[in-house]
Amino acid sequence: MKLERTVAALVAEARGKQHHTLADRLAKALGAVAPRPRQAPRAVGGSVLPDKVRDLLIERPARRSLEDLTLPPEVEGQVRDLIEEQSRADLLRANSLDPRHRVMLAGPPGNGKTTLAEAIAFDLGVPFFTIRYDAVIDSYLGETAARLRRVFDFARATPCVLFLDEFDALGKERGDVHETGEIKRVVSSLLLQMDDLPSYTVIVCASNHPELLDRAVWRRFQLRLELPMPSRADLRRWLEHVGADRRALGVDPAALARGLEGGSYAEAEEFLLDVKRKIVLSNGLPNVVVAQQLKVWKKRFGPKAGVAIENGRQEPDPTAHSDT
């Protein structure tokens, strides 16, 4: 068993360094991987997935880097540390140290947890895999744990970012009297699988309800990062970062951020897309279109939202000076 793990690690390291010939020879010598068929189905991002996990994982193309995101400074700093540790893992291992590779992201939906996991994969230059819960979770006793083992066996031999969204679906508190014995066994199996992951595989878990997670699950994560709802200042920085400035929309970013306050980044992004569609289709004035869409936003998020701009006229923002 130790020999198999050692060779599997060598295969993964060789593939990570693009030494595919060496990796194939090691894999064939071990007998762990069958020869690849010419027309093997490919995941979205282009990786060839083995039959045993083809229905359990989805590969998402990683297109956005850390530079494309607007993050709280402390979160960005810790993620950059993680990327540096992974990028210089050889130096750490030469000093009997391993890079951190287990990350928990917590916070309300729509504030960048999935995008941050994607950015980590992009900056590390490794595949980005997401577990398909609909395929992994099964009603039959023991089948869920067996499928999880197949996923983690694949991840152990493949340098990647393995993303588990809505992690509370798997990592629930085992002391919950409302949960069945099966889910408790799944949590125990999951903890063992996480402990056995090599440091070249980065596992990123996300939860909208971290309070539901088992306490032993929390202990496994070396980085625990919170992505909260954006403040007005956060939204202003994000608007400026994505190019939604006065020149593009005819609206001051500080005033627009005040109007969008109360929504998530995902909702603000959808707002901008709606504005751009209407500008293109109606050939209307950008500031007028923004004002019209803010009225819709106001109905959705309450009377305090969308007050900065009305009928194409900008109201002064008394706190704009504090957002810089």
Side-chain angles (χ1 to χ4, degrees):
M1 189 66 180
K2 287 185 178 180
L3 175 61
E4 291 180 357
R5 290 182 182 176
T6 301
V7 176
L10 290 173
V11 170
E13 184 177 356
R15 294 202 189 282
K17 295 180 178 179
Q18 306 300 314
H19 299 160
H20 298 297
T21 302
L22 174 61
D24 289 341
R25 287 179 179 176
L26 288 171
K28 287 179 181 179
L30 182 64
V33 180
R36 294 177 178 175
R38 288 187 177 182
Q39 301 298 326
R42 289 181 176 269
V44 176
S47 296
V48 177
L49 293 172
D51 291 339
K52 63 179 181 179
V53 295
R54 189 171 297 151
D55 296 330
L56 307 178
L57 289 174
I58 298 174
E59 184 181 3
R60 298 186 177 188
R63 297 191 179 99
R64 288 191 273 194
S65 72
L66 204 59
E67 299 294 335
D68 299 323
L69 309 185
T70 302
L71 298 169
E74 63 277 7
V75 171
E76 181 177 353
Q78 292 191 67
V79 174
R80 289 191 182 280
D81 288 344
L82 172 76
I83 292 172
E84 182 180 10
E85 289 175 19
Q86 285 289 328
S87 301
R88 306 180 68 187
D90 290 345
L91 177 60
L92 290 175
R93 294 189 181 108
N95 288 273
S96 302
L97 296 168
D98 280 319
R100 290 175 292 179
H101 65 113
R102 296 191 295 268
V103 184
M104 166 59 72
L105 305 178
N111 289 304
K113 296 188 291 294
T114 302
T115 308
L116 179 53
E118 174 190 335
I120 292 173
F122 181 93
D123 286 351
L124 291 177
V126 297
F128 178 43
F129 296 112
T130 299
I131 286 186
R132 287 185 52 195
Y133 288 132
D134 60 327
V136 169
I137 297 177
D138 192 274
S139 58
Y140 290 101
L141 185 66
E143 185 60 28
T144 298
R147 292 176 182 178
L148 277 174
R149 278 196 298 274
R150 295 209 299 271
V151 169
F152 278 87
D153 284 345
F154 170 74
R156 272 189 285 274
T158 309
C160 65
V161 170
L162 182 63
F163 182 57
L164 285 76
D165 199 5
E166 299 183 9
F167 186 62
D168 41 274
L170 284 178
K172 287 185 178 180
E173 170 63 57
R174 284 173 290 183
D176 189 345
V177 296
H178 300 292
E179 290 299 340
T180 64
E182 168 66 2
I183 195 63
K184 294 177 183 179
R185 284 188 285 274
V186 168
V187 173
S188 297
S189 175
L190 178 64
L191 297 181
L192 292 174
Q193 297 294 340
M194 289 178 60
D195 287 342
D196 203 30
L197 271 182
S199 59
Y200 53 73
T201 296
V202 178
I203 181 169
V204 181
C205 300
S207 176
N208 301 332
H209 303 285
E211 70 278 359
L212 299 179
L213 294 177
D214 189 276
R215 285 167 290 182
V217 171
W218 274 109
R219 185 176 61 80
R220 260 67 182 187
F221 293 100
Q222 299 146 324
L223 281 180
R224 306 168 194 173
L225 307 176
E226 184 178 0
L227 297 175
M229 292 289 287
S231 65
R232 188 188 307 179
D234 295 330
L235 285 168
R236 179 180 177 181
R237 285 193 296 270
W238 177 79
L239 287 166
E240 293 172 341
H241 186 73
V242 300
D245 53 17
R246 185 189 293 271
R247 183 183 305 174
L249 298 179
V251 174
D252 182 64
L256 182 55
R258 182 185 176 194
L260 295 176
E261 191 173 7
S264 67
Y265 284 118
E267 289 161 332
E269 185 175 34
E270 190 58 40
F271 173 89
L272 287 183
L273 290 174
D274 285 343
V275 167
K276 291 176 181 178
R277 291 188 193 101
K278 291 186 179 300
I279 291 173
V280 170
L281 294 176
S282 67
N283 198 26
L285 295 174
N287 61 329
V288 175
V289 173
V290 170
Q292 292 171 345
Q293 289 302 107
L294 278 174
K295 288 183 178 180
V296 177
W297 181 278
K298 181 177 179 180
K299 292 179 181 178
R300 183 175 180 182
F301 290 100
K304 291 184 179 181
V307 298
I309 305 168
E310 287 290 345
N311 299 320
R313 177 174 58 87
Q314 290 186 204
E315 298 288 345
D317 183 359
T319 63
H321 65 281
S322 64
D323 292 342
T324 57

